[in-house]
């Protein structure tokens, strides 16, 4: 693979797509098959590109001219070695003669006798500087000087945190607009359109979630990295920092939201309004449910106190109801613990971990299709706002890192679940094989899972 662009084209794609791309490089693309090389729709995408100075150097060194893999990479506009613009066939000759054998011999003129033309015709100094730097960084990847194993998972979050840090410095919250302005400033006025940057691309290149998923185009990603970090060294240091504790690293990039509400509308206020609007029958039904839940837990745990109610399922809601609408019964059955046993922080942390583990197991058993987030596993537990921000104990943080879903873990669970159901109906069905779901984008994967579930439901009926 040292003579191909595999290192560069595979730098920012998932492991499954890397395997598919490697297979494509080894055996070629079958007719009608989807290519796994990231592209974008610009006029310069398929041009045959070369550097005049490299041509002269090749003649001196080899006696003939060779194509350079970096020069043929779409969106690379300058030679990193000679820092001069690449040239290509004129538009009138390029499209019509791209498959003509004579075209594939590098030469100073077009086979028709026309002069080669510079790519992009950059005149802006900032754009020229950025184009050269991007070419140098891409060459580092092709030469194997950059370890790309962790880039697919970490590039988006690291760039997102960087742009949010800049926003906090400027006291701004319009992250998408700031990303658009900052990258345009760093890349100059002329370069972004030539790299295929559109309004949505500025959002994706800075790691903000979109329906299309993470940005996979290598040159566009490198442009974002150079714009925010000025090169590989500082960026790779951030990638290593995130690899140690991804959840904590990402949490530090989120600023607390600025919300100004004239009237309180938190969950406490909503519960209060809801209980006050209960009919007599509804109030009786919920009171019975609240009391039975508390008494059953008290019978199971002799050290159970009223402060531990919040650790139960819907515990915060039950605590609010018992203390505001059933105070006399609560004082009788769970009196205040003045001078009595108070559980330590370690015991509370163990209880919280047990509650998180229990919610995880119940969800996997009853709702295997749910995407498990940190907020979901911690919802309705004591101190959830603190723990959601990544400030829990190391043991709890380690458990959450293990249980919280990423797309790969969620998709793997969906594939196992759907294929197991499909095998029970028809082992020969295409929905019973893993190949039906692999090497697909997020949207295509979700669509395929939905089709499989519809088939399973129809077959059962």
């Amino acid at each position: 693979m040292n003579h191909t662009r595999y290192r560069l084209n595979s730098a920012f794609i998932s492991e499954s797509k890397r395997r598919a791309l490697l297979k494509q490089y080894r055996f070629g693309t079958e007719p009608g098959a989807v290519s796994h090389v990231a592209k974008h729709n610009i006029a310069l995408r398929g041009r045959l590109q070369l550097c005049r100075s490299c041509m002269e150097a090749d003649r001196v060194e080899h006696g003939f001219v060779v194509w350079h893999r970096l020069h043929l990479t779409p969106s690379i506009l300058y030679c990193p070695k000679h820092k001069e613009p690449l040239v290509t066939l004129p538009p009138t000759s390029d499209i019509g003669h791209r498959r003509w054998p004579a075209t594939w011999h590098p030469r100073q003129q077009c086979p028709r006798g026309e002069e080669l033309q510079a790519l992009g015709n950059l005149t802006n100094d900032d754009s020229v500087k950025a184009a050269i730097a991007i070419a140098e960084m891409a060459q580092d990847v092709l030469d194997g000087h950059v370890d790309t194993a962790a880039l697919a998972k970490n590039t988006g979050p690291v760039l997102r945190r960087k742009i949010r840090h800049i926003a906090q410095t400027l006291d701004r919250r319009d992250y998408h607009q700031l990303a658009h302005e900052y990258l345009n400033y760093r890349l100059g006025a002329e370069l972004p359109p030539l790299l295929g940057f559109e309004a949505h691309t500025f959002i994706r290149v800075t790691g903000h979630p979109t329906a299309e998923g993470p940005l996979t185009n290598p040159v566009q990603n490198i442009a974002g990295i150079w714009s925010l970090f000025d090169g590989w060294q500082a960026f790779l240091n951030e990638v290593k920092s995130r690899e140690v504790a991804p959840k904590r690293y990402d949490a530090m990039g989120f600023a607390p939201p600025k919300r100004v509400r004239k009237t309180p509308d938190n969950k406490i206020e909503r519960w209060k309004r809801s209980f006050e609007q209960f009919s007599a029958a509804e109030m009786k039904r919920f009171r019975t449910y609240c009391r039975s839940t508390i008494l059953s837990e008290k019978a199971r745990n002799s050290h159970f106190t009223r402060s531990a109610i919040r650790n139960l399922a819907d515990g915060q809601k039950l605590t609010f109801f018992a203390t505001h609408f059933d105070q006399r019964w609560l004082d009788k059955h769970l009196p205040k613990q003045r001078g009595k046993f108070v559980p330590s922080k370690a015991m509370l942390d163990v209880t919280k971990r047990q509650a998180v583990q229990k919610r995880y197991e119940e969800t996997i058993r009853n709702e295997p299709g749910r995407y498990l987030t940190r907020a979901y596993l911690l919802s309705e537990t004591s101190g959830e706002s603190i723990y959601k921000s990544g400030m829990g104990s190391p043991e709890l943080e380690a458990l959450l890192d293990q249980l919280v879903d990423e797309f790969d873990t969620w998709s793997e669970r969906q594939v196992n679940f759907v294929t197991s159901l499909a095998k029970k109906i028809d082992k020969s069905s295409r929905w019973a094989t893993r190949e039906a779901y692999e090497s697909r984008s997020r949207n295509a994967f979700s669509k395929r899972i939905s089709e499989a579930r519809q088939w399973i439901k129809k077959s059962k009926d």
Side-chain angles (χ1 to χ4, degrees), residues 38-290:
K39 308 183 186 74
H40 51 69
N41 298 318
I42 60 174
L44 303 177
R45 190 179 80 195
R47 294 289 176 88
L48 302 176
Q49 305 162 183
L50 43 84
C51 168
R52 293 186 186 275
S53 297
C54 287
M55 294 174 69
E56 297 298 331
D58 287 344
R59 284 196 181 94
V60 172
E61 183 176 356
H62 307 295
F64 55 88
V65 180
V66 297
W67 293 105
H68 292 245
R69 52 183 175 165
L70 180 66
H71 296 166
L72 294 173
T73 302
S75 300
I76 296 297
L77 307 178
Y78 272 70
C79 173
K81 182 177 180 180
H82 299 103
K83 296 180 174 49
E84 63 181 52
L86 301 179
V87 293
T88 186
L89 300 175
T92 55
S93 301
D94 185 26
I95 302 301
H97 295 270
R98 189 179 303 161
R99 297 185 183 276
W100 184 28
T103 305
W104 286 90
H105 298 284
R107 60 186 71 199
Q108 293 285 358
Q109 287 185 325
C110 166
R112 288 182 171 182
E114 301 178 58
E115 291 295 326
L116 301 180
Q117 297 181 358
L119 275 174
N121 294 320
L122 298 178
T123 58
N124 182 276
D125 291 340
D126 292 334
S127 294
V128 172
K129 177 184 176 183
I132 295 173
I134 291 168
E136 291 173 343
M137 292 176 66
Q139 186 67 60
D140 288 339
V141 175
L142 287 176
D143 292 342
H145 299 155
V146 177
D147 183 7
T148 62
L151 296 189
K153 290 184 177 180
N154 294 287
T155 299
V158 169
L159 295 183
R160 179 173 65 242
R161 176 174 165 177
K162 181 67 174 180
I163 203 70
R164 294 199 171 204
H165 175 72
I166 296 172
Q168 292 174 20
T169 303
L170 301 175
D171 194 24
R172 292 179 58 175
R173 299 299 178 106
D174 52 338
Y175 304 123
H176 297 171
Q177 179 62 26
L178 178 62
H180 191 286
E181 295 173 3
Y182 194 82
L183 266 68
N184 266 327
Y185 163 71
R186 291 284 286 155
L187 298 175
E190 298 173 343
L191 188 56
L194 297 177
L195 297 181
F197 275 74
E198 299 175 353
H200 211 51
T201 316
F202 288 101
I203 299 174
R204 296 178 67 199
V205 77
T206 49
H208 291 88
T210 62
E212 294 87 349
L215 191 66
T216 58
N217 184 284
V219 179
Q220 291 177 341
N221 271 305
I222 290 175
I225 293 169
W226 179 83
S227 299
L228 295 173
F229 290 95
D230 287 319
W232 285 118
Q233 189 58 49
F235 171 74
L236 293 177
N237 289 339
E238 286 294 311
V239 169
K240 291 179 181 177
S241 299
R242 186 178 186 272
E243 285 279 275
V244 175
K247 301 296 182 181
R248 191 180 297 272
Y249 182 94
D250 295 345
M252 293 174 66
F254 289 91
K258 292 182 178 179
R259 296 178 180 176
V260 179
R261 294 188 175 125
K262 295 182 180 180
T263 56
D265 192 33
N266 52 42
K267 59 187 176 184
I268 300 297
E269 295 295 330
R270 291 195 294 272
W271 290 338
K272 183 178 180 181
R273 289 196 300 269
S274 175
F275 292 143
E276 289 175 347
Q277 294 171 5
F278 272 1
S279 64
E282 290 173 330
M283 181 65 76
K284 181 179 179 181
R285 189 181 307 115
F286 193 85
R287 183 183 292 111
T288 302
Y289 163 72
C290 179

Side-chain angles (χ1 to χ4, degrees), residues 308-323:
I309 298 175
R310 66 184 64 192
N311 296 323
L312 304 176
D314 292 332
Q316 292 182 333
K317 189 174 183 179
L318 295 177
T319 300
F320 179 80
F321 180 85
T323 54

